[in-house]
Amino acid sequence: MSFKAFIPSSAPNWLQGINGTKLLEAIGVSFDRQINATREAVLVRFPNLAPSDGLPAIGNERRLERGALETEADYRARVYRAWDDWALAGGGQSLLRVLRSQGYPNTALVQQNGILYTLDGPGNVLLSDLGANPLLPGSPPWWTFTNNDLFWNRFAVIFYPPFPFSWTSIVSPPTSVSAPSDSEIGIIARAVTTWKPGKALCMGIFVLLDGQSIGYPVRIIGNGTTIVPFGSINGGAVVRFDC
Amino acid sequence: MPTLALEPGVNVSTALTLAELFVTQNEDQIREQLLATLRANGFPVTDWYAGSVGRTIVELVSSALADAIAGDPAQSNGLIPQITSAGYVDFAELLDTDSVQRRWLTLLARELYKLDRFAATRTTGTIVLTCATGAGPISISNRQLTFSSLATGNRYVGPTEAGPLLLPDGGTLSFTIESEFPNDSLGNPPLNYVDASGTVTSMVTVLAGVTANNPAPVFSPVSLVGIGSGIVTPTPTAPGAVTPTSVAILITSDGQQGISTWSLSLNGLAYVAQGTTPVSYNVPATNITIGFTNGFSSPSFRVNDLYTFAAPGSFVISQGTDEETNKALATRCRSRWPDLSDVPTADVYDLWSRQATPQVTLVKSYADAIIPGRVNVIVAGQAGSLPAGVIATVQSYINVRQPITDKAVVASATPTVITLAGTVTVSSAKLAIAQQAAQINVAIYINSVGIGGTLRVSAIIEQIMIGDGTIDVSGLTINGAGNLTLSANSVSSFVQVLATSLTWVTS
């Protein structure tokens, strides 16, 4: 029961006339206003009840930065899921889910020792084995970053088309007016470095502008078919950002 | 409006913003709201004179609500803003501004994250007593003696060993001393037990025929971050003192001694290419000679190997630290989330390093670019670099936690001595207050700049200007120049006394 209703109801009969009731109701409203604020002061600490300006503080406490393209609803859900998501930190699924939630669904991870990570529709991780390098007979399956095939802990993040609509000027290094901007790329890079294993060496965030794949052998991530060795097209069809 | 369905038909929602909840309503505001409601209910509130029944009721209700719920106007934060703050690690320290000093973040950290705030610790180090012939032997019991530094006045007590220890006639005795109090560099007066070797020589507890000194090795141990087996050895070029210097040697190409190339950085300044590694190299104007020796592998020196050392070394065994700051405790709380995973991320290595010992206040970890699976964990303490014993403690803590195929290598950050210069204009009546505030605020800022971070002139000026009575700061330089970006594995070391090293002008 509100104080607006309670105070008049508990008043003596002589104070329950029209004016007395209105006076006590007004006093009750003042009490209700403060009580409600006190109640909300407790509730706003919870992810599903935090106001828009309180959500980033909870996210920051849970080491979750909101993506530049992430909706408030998606971010709120991610902050709420922190217990589950952080338990899987360091895995490919967790990083890809973070990037998907931040507004980048067409994202993959490739690691040098021959595994490709993607997500299916519901967000479950799909692992694919990469093939052997046709230019290096006898070599194990691995993604080419350099000719050093011993570096099993190297990986990269790959963005493939279609990109977010806002990405209209993809240049590296990004600037305050490029799209994505330096701020947006910074958020992506922090997500990668925060969610990767400490020992994993990120070789870059690669944006495949025309859907081409990079590295050997054929691994079509996007919708292209041209296979070009990594390095020779850096600055061309592929834009690389630092992690 | 955020709404949560707790169960069918039962919803919980919030309508106020955080900004609204952080505003403390005072009695006047509550009264105005009440009057507005009464006015809307048809009451002629503008006709109510002071002391009338209606006006008195309004005053009583407003006053009661202001005192009981909205907040005490005498305090900076009312009850509702405090309840709001209490739910967030980021805002919990706002509660510390009330008169009770409830240390809400301490409670939050303990009850939500199972983390206790680190208490302040004492500095420990080694002292050497020398007994004149005929004055001994002397039996010394636990904590019998008090020493002090002639430079800072800091007092130390020892021996901390159970004892009794015997100082032989005509001989020497080494034992461990600890600071008289835990560190409290921001206290009044500040207790900052950062003392150079050779300065703790005054015996407060006099022993006839006995002298004391806290000598330190000429050089700190050489730290290597890299994969090479090459050996770098510092020695004095000639008898005599060496110039206090922090030295960083970066190998820039693979090879044995004489083949590999290297660059040299002194005191955190830019690296300067030196050509091929010589047998020995005399660092100009320092009395330091650096020797290069091949190790067990070939090539011994590998590109990106980083050797660091400082001159002089330190008598310190463990550096005292202040009580853990809210910022540091909040950082550990946040790192609890990544710690939920079985896979250690960079945040987890950060947390492990801090958990290993309160002496670690800054951490930077990153995957090695040369050795697969290796994680370089660079740590620093309140006084900058950390002694070998602390590094070993952190390494041991991580060793039992890191997963198979991870190889964490802990190393101390290289200290970069920070020296400020400039002119500060202050009100003559407030010179001492301004100097003390500048010392504390600048130290807080410099110590908060992370490993490999950038010290900014504007930020330091801002910290100095906080002091009451400070009018202007001009010509401020950091190590003789403008903004200073520390090298990748370097941390700032700030022990300068600003009251005597800056130019203070009164007006």
Side-chain angles (χ1 to χ4, degrees):
Chain A
M1 177 183 284
S2 67
F3 278 98
K4 179 183 178 184
F6 172 74
I7 294 178
S9 70
S10 61
N13 287 338
W14 60 266
L15 201 50
Q16 290 191 1
I18 294 177
N19 286 337
T21 298
K22 286 184 176 179
L23 172 67
L24 296 179
E25 282 181 347
I27 293 173
V29 167
S30 292
F31 276 81
D32 287 336
R33 186 179 290 119
Q34 299 302 329
I35 295 297
N36 184 60
T38 307
R39 170 181 161 277
E40 292 205 16
V42 175
L43 293 177
V44 294
R45 68 194 59 181
F46 303 126
N48 285 314
L49 291 169
S52 297
D53 62 344
L55 195 56
I58 303 176
N60 185 50
E61 182 173 331
R62 300 183 177 201
R63 293 288 283 126
L64 300 171
E65 186 176 17
R66 183 172 173 176
L69 307 178
E70 191 168 22
T71 66
E72 181 179 312
D74 284 347
Y75 183 52
R76 189 180 296 278
R78 194 155 63 92
V79 172
Y80 175 66
R81 284 199 320 265
W83 286 99
D84 300 325
D85 288 359
W86 273 119
L88 298 175
Q93 175 174 280
S94 65
L95 175 52
L96 289 174
R97 281 186 173 183
V98 169
L99 294 172
R100 174 181 283 191
S101 180
Q102 288 189 340
Y104 314 107
N106 295 335
T107 311
L109 305 177
V110 288
Q111 63 187 42
Q112 173 149 330
N113 61 2
I115 295 178
L116 167 73
Y117 292 88
T118 53
L119 292 183
D120 65 10
N124 299 311
V125 70
L126 301 174
L127 269 65
S128 307
D129 288 332
L130 303 174
N133 188 331
L135 298 184
L136 296 173
S139 68
W142 57 291
W143 183 272
T144 302
F145 292 113
T146 66
N147 287 333
N148 183 350
D149 64 351
L150 299 178
F151 237 110
W152 49 267
N153 66 320
R154 297 197 293 196
F155 78 104
V157 182
I158 295 178
F159 288 73
Y160 55 89
F163 303 121
F165 291 123
S166 60
W167 284 23
T168 55
S169 172
I170 306 172
V171 296
S172 182
T175 68
S176 59
V177 295
S178 65
S181 66
D182 49 2
S183 172
E184 182 173 351
I185 292 299
I187 293 173
I188 294 171
R190 282 193 293 276
V192 174
T193 53
T194 300
W195 286 82
K196 76 174 183 65
K199 68 184 173 191
L201 191 62
C202 179
M203 300 301 289
I205 299 165
F206 297 94
V207 180
L208 308 186
L209 294 180
D210 58 3
Q212 292 175 332
S213 178
I214 57 174
Y216 292 109
V218 177
R219 292 170 290 270
I220 300 176
I221 304 300
N223 56 6
T225 56
T226 305
I227 308 304
V228 188
F230 167 70
S232 65
I233 57 170
N234 195 11
V238 174
V239 175
R240 177 191 176 278
F241 298 107
D242 290 333
C243 293
Chain B
M1 177 187 299
T3 302
L4 177 64
L6 284 179
E7 53 190 78
V10 180
N11 292 335
V12 180
S13 62
T14 53
L16 298 172
T17 67
L18 208 60
E20 290 169 331
L21 289 167
F22 274 145
V23 174
T24 299
Q25 281 199 309
N26 59 30
E27 185 178 333
D28 290 344
Q29 293 167 320
I30 294 173
R31 183 175 55 242
E32 288 307 311
Q33 288 178 332
L34 176 53
L35 287 172
T37 306
L38 288 167
R39 191 180 302 114
N41 283 357
F43 287 96
V45 296
T46 53
D47 294 340
W48 290 351
Y49 56 87
S52 66
V53 173
R55 184 68 176 263
T56 301
I57 291 173
V58 169
E59 299 286 351
L60 287 172
V61 170
S62 304
S63 175
L65 280 174
D67 284 350
I69 298 177
D72 178 356
Q75 294 188 358
S76 56
N77 292 314
L79 183 63
I80 292 171
Q82 288 195 50
I83 294 173
T84 307
S85 304
Y88 298 84
V89 162
D90 282 10
F91 301 133
E93 66 182 271
L94 297 178
L95 291 161
D96 283 353
T97 58
D98 70 19
S99 58
V100 186
Q101 292 286 317
R102 283 173 289 182
R103 309 305 296 267
W104 186 264
L105 184 57
T106 301
L107 182 63
L108 211 58
R110 177 179 296 169
E111 295 300 319
L112 290 186
Y113 293 101
K114 197 176 177 292
L115 293 173
D116 286 326
R117 186 189 293 266
F118 291 137
T121 62
R122 299 170 193 260
T123 296
T124 63
T126 303
I127 202 162
V128 179
L129 297 188
T130 302
C131 181
T133 302
I138 301 173
S139 177
I140 300 172
S141 58
N142 175 252
R143 303 180 67 83
Q144 175 188 339
L145 304 177
T146 300
F147 308 89
S148 72
S149 163
L150 293 175
T152 64
N154 285 338
R155 289 158 61 114
Y156 293 83
V157 176
T160 60
E161 290 86 349
L165 306 177
L166 188 65
L167 173 60
D169 185 38
T172 61
L173 174 66
S174 296
F175 54 81
T176 304
I177 55 176
E178 68 177 15
S179 55
E180 187 175 25
F181 298 106
N183 220 68
D184 185 10
S185 66
L186 305 180
N188 186 18
L191 297 173
N192 198 22
Y193 293 95
V194 180
D195 287 292
S197 59
T199 61
V200 184
T201 56
S202 174
M203 293 192 65
V204 179
T205 310
V206 177
L207 292 178
V210 177
T211 58
N213 196 5
N214 62 329
V218 179
F219 300 103
S220 69
V222 177
S223 168
L224 166 63
V225 177
I227 60 172
S229 63
I231 300 167
V232 167
T233 308
T235 55
T237 306
V242 299
T243 304
T245 311
S246 62
V247 179
I249 296 165
L250 181 66
I251 303 301
T252 50
S253 69
D254 289 347
Q256 295 288 75
Q257 181 271 314
I259 303 296
S260 56
T261 58
W262 66 299
S263 290
L264 175 66
S265 168
L266 301 178
N267 297 320
L269 300 179
Y271 282 92
V272 177
Q274 302 292 328
T276 57
T277 49
V279 173
S280 65
Y281 173 79
N282 298 335
V283 182
T286 63
N287 199 30
I288 297 173
T289 293
I290 303 170
F292 293 84
T293 309
N294 289 331
F296 59 83
S297 60
S298 181
S300 295
F301 295 94
R302 302 294 299 271
V303 65
N304 289 332
D305 282 355
L306 178 65
Y307 297 85
T308 57
F309 65 88
S314 173
F315 83 104
V316 170
I317 298 172
S318 64
Q319 177 61 54
T321 55
D322 294 346
E323 180 187 60
E324 188 175 28
T325 63
N326 281 337
K327 181 181 177 184
L329 180 56
T331 297
R332 285 201 296 140
C333 289
R334 294 187 195 98
S335 294
R336 276 298 213 187
W337 291 96
D339 195 31
L340 291 170
S341 173
D342 293 332
V343 181
T345 62
D347 282 337
V348 176
Y349 280 108
D350 184 301
L351 177 65
W352 285 348
S353 301
R354 295 173 191 268
Q355 295 287 82
T357 166
Q359 293 193 58
V360 173
T361 57
L362 293 172
V363 186
K364 175 184 178 183
S365 71
Y366 57 94
D368 194 274
I370 298 175
I371 304 177
R374 172 165 164 162
V375 182
N376 296 314
V377 182
I378 312 300
V379 295
Q382 184 166 330
S385 60
L386 289 166
V390 175
I391 301 303
T393 298
V394 178
Q395 185 72 64
S396 298
Y397 189 92
I398 292 177
N399 284 350
V400 299
R401 289 169 173 77
Q402 66 182 359
I404 295 171
T405 73
D406 274 26
K407 181 185 180 184
V409 178
V410 182
S412 173
T414 306
T416 296
V417 177
I418 302 301
T419 303
L420 305 179
T423 301
V424 184
T425 305
V426 298
S427 166
S428 57
K430 296 183 176 178
L431 175 61
I433 295 173
Q435 288 176 333
Q436 184 180 17
Q439 187 72 46
I440 291 174
N441 293 327
V442 170
I444 290 174
Y445 167 70
I446 291 179
N447 291 336
S448 71
V449 173
I451 298 167
T454 298
L455 286 89
R456 301 192 182 282
V457 169
S458 61
I460 292 174
I461 292 175
E462 187 179 346
Q463 296 304 315
I464 295 174
M465 289 298 295
I466 290 174
D468 186 21
T470 307
I471 299 169
D472 187 32
V473 179
S474 61
L476 190 94
T477 60
I478 306 172
N479 291 1
N483 294 342
L484 174 65
T485 297
L486 304 170
S487 56
N489 292 338
S490 184
V491 66
S492 54
S493 174
F494 180 68
V495 294
Q496 190 180 15
V497 179
L498 296 181
T500 56
S501 54
L502 295 181
T503 301
W504 296 83
V505 178
T506 56
S507 68

